[in-house]
Amino acid sequence: GRWDEVLAITGCHIASDAVNAIRAATRDWARQTGLSVYDQREHTGYLRHLLVREGRNTGEALVVLVTGPGDLRGGEDLVAALSAIPTVKGIHWGVNEGQSEITGVPTRKLWGADWIEERLLGHRYRLRPGAFLQTNTSMAEKLYEVALDFADLKGGETVYDLYCGIGTISLTMAPKALTVWGIEVVEEAIACALENAEINNVPNVGFFAGNVGLALAELRQRAGNPDLVIVDPPRAGLAGKALRRLAELQAPRIVDVSCNPTTLAGDLKVLCGDAGYDLKRVKPVDMFPHTPHVECVARFERVDQ
């Protein structure tokens, strides 16, 4: 029940051998350099987070070290240790100057590639340090298959993909739809989405960066009314303005890919209340084995259609 304890482990059973090797090499380097460790209570210290992005279907890994402000002493030794691991394709460094425990900070490349690639359901996805991708690749494919089933596309639909990330759901839906439009606030993720559409030769998708609650009106002017809206919101659920704007679209169908059933329940109450929708189907997907957490895919249909 402690959030501030760091356990010394020799191996994590749900991480790959490569990820365990990356963690061990970074730990040994940290001990050798003598750099201070960040204290979350006192807000002092330097070393904060190690982020490893891994393509389980490609065998490629991207490493991001997040520190507090200050020079990275011994950075050359860290690069030497990590670049010796065959799966590591790029090493980046980010600085978190605030107190919040976040890893999504701007990064500087220390060595190697700017991105790695992963493969999902026949598509290649380019992944940069700040872009989101489901951590459990095998179950991510199952999750998107459920979303595609719930979408029930016939080929002539205009689809909005809200919180689209690097375009994984958009590209999964595109072969079954007329057009797919993705919105994401993280510009780095949109850059990846545009690249992913190009490298997969998917012409009927469009992406642009923007806050979902603020950008929907512009998207509607550009793309017309949606036949289906896919939402894949953060754990906090749909923000108030985004939820209101979603309801105002009056799309015939909504598919919600929720990583938090608790906030899904709150959004469901609004959608099935004044917004005029019925909940037709819900299916949980176990993305996080050995934890109580599940994702849920929910399908809503307008009552008056």
Side-chain angles (χ1 to χ4, degrees):
R2 297 286 295 274
W3 56 266
D4 58 341
E5 290 288 336
V6 178
L7 303 180
I9 59 174
T10 56
C12 173
H13 293 295
I14 61 173
S16 68
D17 291 342
V19 171
N20 280 313
I22 291 166
R23 187 195 65 256
T26 307
R27 177 199 60 214
D28 294 344
W29 165 82
R31 288 173 173 168
Q32 291 166 6
T33 59
L35 292 169
S36 59
V37 176
Y38 187 77
D39 187 312
Q40 297 182 27
R41 294 189 183 277
E42 301 297 328
H43 303 296
T44 58
Y46 185 69
L47 296 174
R48 298 193 67 159
H49 293 283
L50 177 70
L51 176 67
V52 182
R53 318 297 301 271
E54 183 183 37
R56 296 299 284 266
N57 290 329
T58 61
E60 299 179 355
L62 191 69
V63 181
V64 181
L65 179 71
V66 180
T67 72
D71 294 335
L72 182 61
R73 191 173 76 245
E76 299 85 355
D77 294 332
L78 176 64
V79 167
L82 293 178
S83 61
I85 299 173
T87 60
V88 174
K89 303 303 179 184
I91 303 166
H92 296 243
W93 169 40
V95 175
N96 181 1
E97 298 183 352
Q99 295 183 356
S100 299
E101 291 302 317
I102 58 174
T103 57
V105 296
T107 63
R108 190 182 101 196
K109 183 174 68 175
L110 300 177
W111 174 87
D114 292 318
W115 63 77
I116 60 170
E117 286 193 358
E118 178 60 305
R119 296 191 188 95
L120 291 172
L121 296 176
H123 289 118
R124 295 162 53 203
Y125 292 99
R126 191 166 289 176
L127 186 64
R128 298 177 185 272
F132 172 79
L133 181 68
Q134 295 282 354
T135 56
N136 186 338
T137 299
S138 297
M139 289 307 294
E141 293 186 310
K142 300 293 184 184
L143 181 72
Y144 297 151
E145 286 174 343
V146 173
L148 185 60
D149 175 43
F150 278 28
D152 191 25
L153 295 169
K154 306 302 183 185
E157 295 91 347
T158 296
V159 179
Y160 290 5
D161 180 11
L162 311 185
Y163 309 93
C164 67
I166 64 171
T168 47
I169 292 179
S170 295
L171 297 188
T172 300
M173 300 287 169
K176 303 286 187 178
L178 178 64
T179 57
V180 181
W181 297 84
I183 301 178
E184 169 63 52
V185 71
V186 179
E187 293 184 3
E188 189 173 15
I190 287 295
C192 289
L194 291 168
E195 291 174 329
N196 291 333
E198 182 177 357
I199 63 179
N200 287 286
N201 193 28
V202 180
N204 61 326
V205 294
F207 299 101
F208 64 95
N211 180 289
V212 168
L214 301 176
L216 275 179
E218 179 185 346
L219 175 58
R220 196 175 193 177
Q221 290 180 347
R222 180 184 301 186
N225 293 327
D227 301 294
L228 169 71
V229 179
I230 307 285
V231 293
D232 188 4
R235 287 194 63 79
L238 291 163
K241 182 173 286 188
L243 186 56
R244 290 195 300 272
R245 296 291 182 266
L246 173 62
E248 290 169 1
L249 289 174
Q250 298 186 0
R253 303 192 305 281
I254 297 172
V255 173
D256 190 329
V257 182
S258 172
C259 62
N260 188 347
T262 302
T263 55
L264 172 62
D267 295 340
L268 184 156
K269 185 177 181 180
V270 174
L271 290 173
C272 293
D274 294 339
Y277 285 88
D278 271 348
L279 176 64
K280 294 297 185 180
R281 301 175 68 186
V282 181
K283 188 170 186 176
V285 180
D286 188 4
M287 297 291 292
F288 314 104
H290 313 296
T291 79
H293 302 289
V294 296
E295 299 224 356
C296 286
V297 182
R299 174 185 165 117
F300 299 87
E301 295 179 8
R302 279 196 63 80
V303 176
D304 58 357
Q305 61 177 321

